[in-house]
Structures are given as C-alpha cells and as structure tokens.
C-alpha cells in the first residue's frame, strides 16, 4: 500500500509540475456519441445488453454484458492535452491481463485518413479504489482533432469525464465514423471480448472497426459463449452487414450438436441475405504439448466443420468458414497463457480474417466536411496540415509570442473549398495541387464537372492545382481573378502564375471587388467579391449568400490563427503590402463579427470555418463551426 501511494504521489508531482496540465476542464462523456452498442435500451449508459434481457439470460452472461468491451466515445477537440476521470464498476483485476486492458481507456485520433493510437489512460488510484484519473496526452498543437476513446474490456464504467485545456473546446464529432449503420455483429468467447489485449484498442473487434471504419459490435462473453438463443435473437434484431460467430472455444461438442444450427437459423430466418462467418477453435499454442487440449480442439473443430457442411448441403447461401490453422502463427508467441491472445495474437487474427471481410463488406466512404449555406453546400478540401514557423510574423513582441505561441509553433493548414449551388460546381482556390483531385473525388466530382474557379489570389499554394504537366486541369471552368491581382502577376516573372494565366486565357473573367462597407455586387447569383487587398494587390474574399444564410471565405486574411485573431495588427512576411493587409484584416473581422457572418480561411486548421467574437482587448476569438 505504501508503495502504491508513493508511486501515485510521484505521478501527481510530475503532473502538477507541467504547466500545460494545470486546471483542466472536465466534461461529462454522456453528451457525446457512444458507439458499439447493439441497443440503447440498457439499464445504464455504459453496458452492452438491453435491459429487457435481464430476466431471460443466464446470470453470468448478463453480468458480462456490464463489461464495456467494444464501446467507445466519439468527440472532437482542439485541446493541447486530453485527460480522463472515470469510475470502474467492479475494479476487476486479472492475473493474466494488464490493468490497462481490463479497466483502462484507450485514445485514438483520426489522422491522415486513418485511426492512430494516441495513448492509453492507465487506471491509477492511490487507495486501490474504483475511481481513476489519468492524463492521456499532453504537449499537442492546439488544432482540432477527431477522437475515439475506447472503454475497458473486462470491467464496466459507472461514470466518465473527459478533460481538456480550460481555454479549449470539446464538441460533437464532425463526421460519423466509424460507420454505425449496418454494423458487423460479433458473438464469441473471452478472446472475442478482448482477452487478453494489453489495452482496449488492441482487441479484435476494435482493431477491425478502425481498419474498416465500421462499427463492430462486441458480444464476447468470457467463458459463457454457450449458444444462448436469446443472444441469437438479439443479433438478428440488428440489420447487420455481417454476423461473425466465434463460439467454439466455449461451446462443448454436445452443445454445438444440439444448439448451433438453431442458433444460426434464428439469425438466418430474420436476415436471409446477410453473410455469416463461422470461426474454428484456435489451435492453442500449448496444444503442441498438452494432448488433452489438442484432442479437445480437434474434436470441436471437426464438429463445427460438420455442422457447416450440413448447412451447405441444405443450400444455405452467404455462409463462410474461417479455418484457424494460421490464426496464431507457428512460433507459439501469440498468447499470454496458451489460450488468450496477446496483441500479436489479435493482429494475426486480423490478418487472417481481413481478406474475407474485404470481399464481404462494402467500403465505407469517408465524406468530406460540408457546411450548408441556405440552399448551397460548402465542402472543405484540406490539403496539408503542419506546424507553422513564428518567424513569418512581423513585429510580434516576445510577450505576444510567449502568450499565444508557448510551444513556438501552431497548427497551420492549406485549404481550398468547393461550393455547390443548384446549377454550379465552384472551386475556390486550388491549393498546392497535391491532393486536390483526390479531395474532389471524395466529394463525388471530377475536374470536368467544375464550372467556375474563384481565386482569392495567385500565390503558389492557391493555384498549384490548376495545372498538370503544364496543361489546365479544369477544361470547362471559367477562372475568376480580381483585375488588380491579374495586373500584378501578368507583369511578374513568376512562372507558375504566368503559366496559369496563359493556360486559362480563353476562360479568364476579370472583375473589381466591392468594398466591405458598400453594397456588394454579385459576380453571379449568391456570390459577391470583397476587396481584401494587402496580402497581394488584388487579394479577394468571397461572400456567399443563400436565403438568409451567409459565409465569408477570406483567403489569406490570416496565417497565424493563434496570434492574428487576438492581434489583427500583426502582419506576416508573405504580405506584399503589410499595412494594407492589416487594414483589410481589421475591417473585415469587424464586419464579420458585427454581422455574425461565419468565415472560412485557407490557412485556418480543421475545420477551417468558424464565427468571430470580439474580445475585450480589441482582438477576436474564433469559434469553430
């Protein structure tokens, strides 16, 4: 006990010594989506089985349903640190499983198109009790990220709070991933429940959920997968994309002969077309030496094989059999105790089953972030996220840098936008060109379908996507450029700008933007150009209006979000005319804040859109949409 207290005190001393960890603000996780449940009609929020089954199910199965294996909380935040406070239901402790896997939490972040491990919340408690606190990650850049927080595999949760920086925000996820419609429903043993992954994210169903970006519902019940018909009814009640049956380790030969077909037909009668996968008993590593176990595995696999063949002879369709021969590999290193899988074992199980799942599951489309503006839709086309260099700031005092850029950097971005009206597909800037076409494809368009291109200005990170091998990428698009911007670049020696102007010379549309304080003249229905000169001589913002909704895309009015919003008087070295850039920034920020018009920017980190609120010191705060 003394040692436990000492370790915890050391942990808390380190915690309090880090200034970025001080005074996190905590939020109830119950306000954010909980994924992985087969039913929301449970006794409490954090459990797997519907309350209606309590009196029908065997008590051991019902109690295991209180374990939160396969459940995860989804949220987004721009915090530099993420914390967790939670209370475990049972304070479970297993001799052959880590506390982190049993009752810890696991944080993942959606990064560059995939879910990546951030860190694990270790279940520390100074008194050995059920209440835990853990800093999961610190020292991040203050940019918005999508998170998924996995819950314990072999314990339940009574309560859960997520902590962030006091000045940061936490919000609902921006997109619905993993896909919750038509989940994969999995039934099985302790192995399926997650025994004995080192942490929650490494159980099979959680691994597969990330890989396929689809919810895999975990109905693994440690030692209790004895083909209860109530579980089959529950599975059949869900319109699944696939059912996975991995019960052989628990079910006896007699139970399989007596119950397996009926269990299957309960599902099949309600879901006649849905694929069902039967999985063999793993060839446990110690069966090489333990002949009793070897015979048991052989007898069970022979039995399930016969049952499957019998179903085939009955002309059952969409049924599949997964041999376990290669499941654990041949080196004997994939279990913790000869039976329960280590992380390596689960990865090998994943590698075995993925080829079959790829044939049976439709890919989940990752849809880009889209904001509705009346009848119009504005889609973010992000191309690059990275760290910015504060050396680009002009006359930013050491005090300002210390206050707003304490880590010496910030989250930067390169964005373009796609505006869709009833009859037009409008591209606003073209980025560097590295991801533009793939971004458009994810939005369901090809270059030939773009009708109009609006340029905020002609720096390389805004026009790079307009050419490929010296030829125009968008053959059917008119290219709109402010006349002052055209006049500046046509006289320059910038090869990229000159090549763009030459390639699109037959489709150029020059215009003079309106001043921010005057009545706006539309370029075409719903879109007006607004002068934002200074960054370049013809730098232009675009005001989009539909019905009573508005949004202002202001290009490069800001580069360093943490500094230039509270201090719009600070320019950057990229500005051709810094004093004019400052004047434009102040005028447009005031206009947007006063009229409550959301803004979007080419160098604002995800989600790149937000509303402005004036603060007491004369600057502004950006609240992401």
């Amino acid at each position: 006990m003394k040692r436990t207290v000492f370790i915890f005190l050391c942990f808390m001393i380190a915690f309090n010594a880090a200034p970025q960890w001080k005074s996190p603000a905590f939020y109830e996780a119950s306000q954010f989506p909980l994924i992985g449940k087969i039913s929301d009609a449970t006794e409490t929020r954090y459990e797997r089985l519907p309350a209606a089954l309590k009196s029908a199910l065997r008590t051991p199965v019902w109690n295991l349903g209180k374990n939160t294996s396969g459940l995860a909380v989804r949220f987004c935040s721009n915090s530099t640190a993420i914390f967790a406070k939670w209370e475990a239901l049972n304070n479970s402790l297993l001799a052959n499983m880590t506390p982190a896997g049993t009752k810890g939490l696991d944080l993942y972040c959606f990064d560059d198109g995939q879910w990546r491990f951030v860190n694990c919340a270790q279940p520390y408690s100074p008194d050995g009790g059920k209440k835990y606190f853990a800093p999961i990650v610190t020292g991040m850049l203050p940019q918005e990220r999508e998170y998924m927080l996995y819950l314990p595999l072999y314990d339940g949760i009574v309560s859960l709070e997520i902590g962030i920086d006091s000045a940061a925000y936490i919000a609902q996820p921006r997109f619905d991933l993993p896909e919750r419609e038509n989940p994969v429903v999995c039934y099985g043993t302790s192995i399926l429940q997650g025994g004995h992954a080192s942490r929650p994210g490494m159980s099979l169903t959680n691994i597969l959920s990330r890989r396929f970006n689809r919810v895999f519902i975990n109905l693994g019940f440690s030692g209790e997968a004895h083909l209860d018909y109530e579980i089959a009814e529950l599975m059949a009640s869900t319109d699944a994309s696939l059912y996975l049956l991995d019960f052989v380790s628990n079910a006896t030969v007699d139970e399989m002969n007596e119950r397996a077909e009926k269990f299957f037909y309960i599902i099949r009668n309600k879901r006649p077309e849905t694929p069902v996968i039967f999985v063999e008993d793993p060839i446990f590593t110690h069966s090489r030496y333990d002949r009793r176990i070897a015979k048991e595995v052989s007898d069970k696999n022979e039995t399930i094989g016969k049952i499957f063949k019998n179903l085939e002879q009955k002309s059952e369709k969409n049924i599949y059999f997964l041999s376990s021969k290669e499941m654990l590999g041949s080196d004997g290193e994939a279990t913790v105790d000869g039976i329960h899988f280590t992380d390596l074992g689960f990865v090998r199980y994943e590698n075995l089953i993925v080829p079959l799942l790829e044939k049976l599951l439709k890919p989940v489309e990752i849809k880009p972030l889209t904001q509705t503006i009346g009848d119009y839709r504005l889609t973010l086309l992000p191309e690059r996220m990275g760290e910015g260099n504060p050396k680009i700031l002009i006359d930013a005092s050491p005090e300002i840098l210390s206050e707003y850029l304490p880590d010496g950097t910030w989250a930067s971005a390169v964005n373009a936008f796609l505006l869709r009206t009833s009859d037009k597909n409008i591209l606003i800037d073209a980025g560097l060109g590295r991801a533009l076409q793939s971004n458009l494809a994810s939005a369901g368009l090809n270059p030939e379908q773009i009708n109009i291109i609006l340029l905020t200005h002609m720096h390389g990170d805004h026009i790079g996507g307009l050419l490929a091998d010296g030829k125009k990428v968008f053959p059917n698009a008119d290219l709109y450029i402010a006349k002052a911007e055209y006049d500046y670049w046509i006289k320059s020696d910038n090869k990229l700008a000159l090549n763009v102007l030459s390639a699109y010379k037959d489709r150029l549309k020059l215009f003079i933007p309106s001043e921010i304080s005057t009545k706006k003249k539309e370029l075409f229905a719903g879109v007006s150009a607004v002068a934002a000169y200074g960054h370049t001589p013809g730098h232009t913002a675009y005001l989009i209006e539909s019905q009573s909704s508005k949004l202002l895309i202001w290009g490069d009015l800001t580069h360093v979000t943490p500094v230039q919003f509270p201090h719009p008087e600070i320019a950057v070295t990229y500005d051709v005319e810094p004093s004019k850039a400052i004047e434009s920034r102040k005028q447009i920020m005031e206009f947007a804040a006063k009229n409550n018009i959301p803004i979007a920017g080419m160098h604002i980190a995800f989600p790149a859109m937000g509303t402005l609120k004036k603060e007491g010191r004369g600057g502004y705060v950006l609240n992401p949409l």
Side-chain angles (χ1 to χ4, degrees), residues 211 237 287 531:
R211 178 148 186 170
S237 70
S287 65

Side-chain angles (χ1 to χ4, degrees), residues 80 114 121 153 230 301 305 318 324 335 340 364 391 410 436 450 522 538 576 580:
T80 66
Q114 63 182 325
L153 298 174
E230 296 86 354
N301 284 344
N318 288 329
S324 66
T335 73
H340 297 99
V364 172
K391 291 182 179 179
W410 76 96
L436 181 60
I450 299 297
E522 289 186 333
V576 176
K580 279 191 176 182

Side-chain angles (χ1 to χ4, degrees), residues 35-36 48 68-72 150-153 203 205-206 216 218:
I35 65 172
R48 295 183 289 164
T68 51
S69 182
L71 306 189
Y150 287 115
L151 304 189
L153 298 174
S203 72
T205 54
N206 289 342
F216 278 62
N218 188 306

Side-chain angles (χ1 to χ4, degrees), residues 69 186-195 203-205 217-221 244 246 346 349:
S69 182
C186 307
Y187 172 63
T189 68
S190 57
I191 294 170
L192 189 81
Q193 185 173 335
S203 72
L204 177 71
T205 54
I217 291 174
N218 188 306
L219 295 177
F221 303 103
L244 178 69
D246 187 4
F346 283 118
Y349 193 167

Side-chain angles (χ1 to χ4, degrees), residues 259-287:
R259 302 174 70 86
E261 278 201 21
K262 182 175 179 180
F263 190 98
F264 165 77
Y265 277 114
I266 289 173
I267 297 172
R268 177 54 80 226
N269 289 340
K270 287 188 178 180
R271 307 292 175 184
E273 303 297 329
T274 307
V276 178
I277 299 176
F278 291 82
V279 183
E280 275 192 325
D281 198 11
I283 302 174
F284 297 117
T285 55
H286 67 310
S287 65

Side-chain angles (χ1 to χ4, degrees), residues 498-518:
L498 293 173
N499 288 341
V500 165
L501 294 175
S502 175
Y504 288 86
K505 62 184 178 181
D506 58 333
R507 305 298 294 263
L508 285 178
K509 303 290 183 181
L510 304 183
F511 60 87
I512 298 175
S514 305
E515 294 297 324
I516 192 67
S517 58
T518 64

